[in-house]
Amino acid sequence: MLGRTANGLFWMFRYLERSENTARLLDAGLRMALTRDIATAEEEWRSVLATTGQRAGYEAKNGTYTGMQAWNYILRDRDNPKSVLAMFGQVRHNARLVRNAITTELWEAINESWLLMKEQLARPVGENRVLETVATVRRAGTLAHGAMAGSMLREEGYHFARAGTFIERADSVARILDVKYYLLLPSLSYVGSSLDTGQWDQVLRSVSGDRAFRWLNAGQIDARGICEFLILDDRFPRSLAFCHAALRENLAALARLHGEEGECHALMRDADTRLSSLGIDEIFDQGLHEFLVDFMSCNAAIADAIAHDYRFLA
């Protein structure tokens, strides 16, 4: 497979995952903000923008944190290269570049979602339409992943696409957890309070893990249990452990197809060893922030190594 095709598939699914994750975070932030007073709602929007890496751009253009300003900036602002509309535009652009390497079903899922999204985001999104628009973005990811799972051969293209998905998903969950600990709580005195519980509930909602966690924990919400669930529980498809296990499987499949391993495989083994050797107590002892920063750094190094090993940069 040519490097540009592998690159297109890898980034197509990274952008798809990124746009869907942004929509999930926006949905959770919206539901939280609507139940809070104005000052607390502004903090919610500030944290959502910080988590998605859009806070600096937003503040350069807006002086306040109203809901409509925030969600329109995140969804459709032309000056925001990280908007959902811009990211899904990259999904469709990469899909066109690799049109001969993907199935008709996958192309149609991407293209139809893009046309619908473009129509919905052609004008500012009001409060009466924002949940519908967010649902469209989330549905686009579901349709694309379903079309790929049900129609693509399990060969190189499939494994590059899946590698992009799980690299991006792991990074997103780690960032959400990191921002929670450093930005969402006004001070450490709020740990264990009702505000803290509500914020952790928002974290679960932003990764669609609230129902699964409650089912496993009889409805109990606590920071340590949620961190263990999102970091170490390999039954949950958005946990860091699950993402790295899936990434490992797809990289192993690529190694079998190419008949050799590269630097990304060595880095993957190191990351696996590091993650599997830790329990949640050890993670909290060393510091959640420090653990997550190290995880994100390893994740980025693996992504760069994949690009190098399979000549994405050629």
Side-chain angles (χ1 to χ4, degrees):
M1 177 174 285
L2 294 175
R4 63 175 176 270
T5 302
N7 182 66
L9 288 162
F10 185 75
W11 278 102
M12 172 184 163
F13 276 85
R14 286 200 70 170
Y15 278 118
L16 180 67
E17 188 68 24
R18 196 175 297 179
S19 63
E20 185 182 353
N21 289 337
T22 300
R24 291 175 188 276
L25 192 63
L26 178 56
D27 181 57
L30 178 66
R31 294 177 189 277
M32 179 72 77
L34 290 176
T35 64
R36 304 290 180 170
D37 57 43
I38 293 176
T40 308
E42 288 183 356
E43 287 301 316
E44 296 298 336
W45 290 119
R46 188 175 287 111
S47 71
V48 170
L49 285 154
T51 306
T52 58
Q54 301 178 39
R55 183 173 173 178
Y58 178 87
E59 290 181 346
K61 189 171 184 177
N62 301 282
T64 60
Y65 274 90
T66 65
M68 189 171 293
Q69 279 182 327
W71 72 59
N72 273 286
Y73 184 81
I74 293 168
L75 287 169
R76 64 179 296 277
D77 197 295
R78 291 183 179 181
D79 297 327
N80 179 14
K82 297 179 181 179
S83 72
V84 168
L85 187 62
M87 287 188 289
F88 209 87
Q90 286 295 321
V91 175
R92 185 175 182 271
H93 171 72
N94 280 290
R96 289 184 65 185
L97 290 178
V98 299
R99 181 66 184 84
N100 292 332
I102 61 176
T103 61
T104 300
E105 289 84 352
L106 179 53
W107 165 252
E108 289 177 348
I110 295 292
N111 194 48
E112 289 171 9
S113 294
W114 163 249
L115 293 174
L116 177 58
M117 209 176 298
K118 192 176 178 182
E119 179 184 354
Q120 289 183 338
L121 295 174
R123 60 189 186 280
V125 180
E127 189 171 329
N128 62 325
R129 291 196 304 117
V130 63
L131 287 176
E132 176 190 354
T133 305
V134 168
T136 296
V137 181
R138 294 179 60 173
R139 192 178 305 115
T142 301
L143 290 172
H145 286 300
M148 182 180 70
S151 65
M152 280 189 70
L153 288 173
R154 270 44 173 179
E155 43 75 70
E156 283 181 288
Y158 176 86
H159 295 297
F160 281 122
R162 296 294 281 172
T165 295
F166 289 110
I167 283 281
E168 193 64 40
R169 185 174 297 178
D171 184 75
S172 174
V173 173
R175 288 183 186 281
I176 288 170
L177 280 173
D178 196 38
V179 169
K180 157 62 187 172
Y181 228 63
Y182 276 81
L183 293 179
L184 292 184
L185 292 179
S187 75
L188 290 178
S189 64
Y190 283 86
V191 174
S193 68
S194 60
L195 174 62
D196 182 50
T197 299
Q199 297 286 12
W200 281 112
D201 184 64
Q202 183 198 24
V203 169
L204 286 170
R205 288 180 179 276
S206 67
V207 296
S208 296
D210 50 317
R211 289 189 179 183
F213 181 83
R214 285 191 175 88
W215 185 81
L216 289 171
N217 295 276
Q220 298 297 313
I221 297 289
D222 71 280
R224 187 174 294 262
I226 290 171
C227 286
E228 183 172 18
F229 177 66
L230 294 182
I231 294 171
L232 299 174
D233 196 327
D234 59 9
R235 297 169 295 178
F236 180 56
R238 293 184 178 274
S239 73
L240 302 188
F242 185 100
C243 289
H244 265 205
L247 179 59
R248 181 180 66 246
E249 290 175 7
N250 285 283
L251 291 182
L254 286 170
R256 289 193 298 272
L257 288 167
H258 285 261
E260 62 179 351
E261 292 189 348
E263 181 187 4
C264 65
H265 298 88
L267 291 173
M268 189 76 249
R269 279 191 292 273
D270 289 343
D272 270 348
T273 300
R274 210 171 311 178
L275 188 60
S276 63
S277 67
L278 293 174
I280 196 62
D281 290 334
E282 288 82 3
I283 289 172
F284 271 87
D285 286 344
Q286 77 173 63
L288 180 62
H289 172 68
E290 289 73 17
F291 166 80
L292 292 169
V293 167
D294 181 63
F295 180 90
M296 288 185 283
S297 176
C298 291
N299 203 54
I302 293 169
D304 289 343
I306 293 170
H308 180 269
D309 291 343
Y310 294 102
R311 299 175 176 82
F312 287 9
L313 307 179

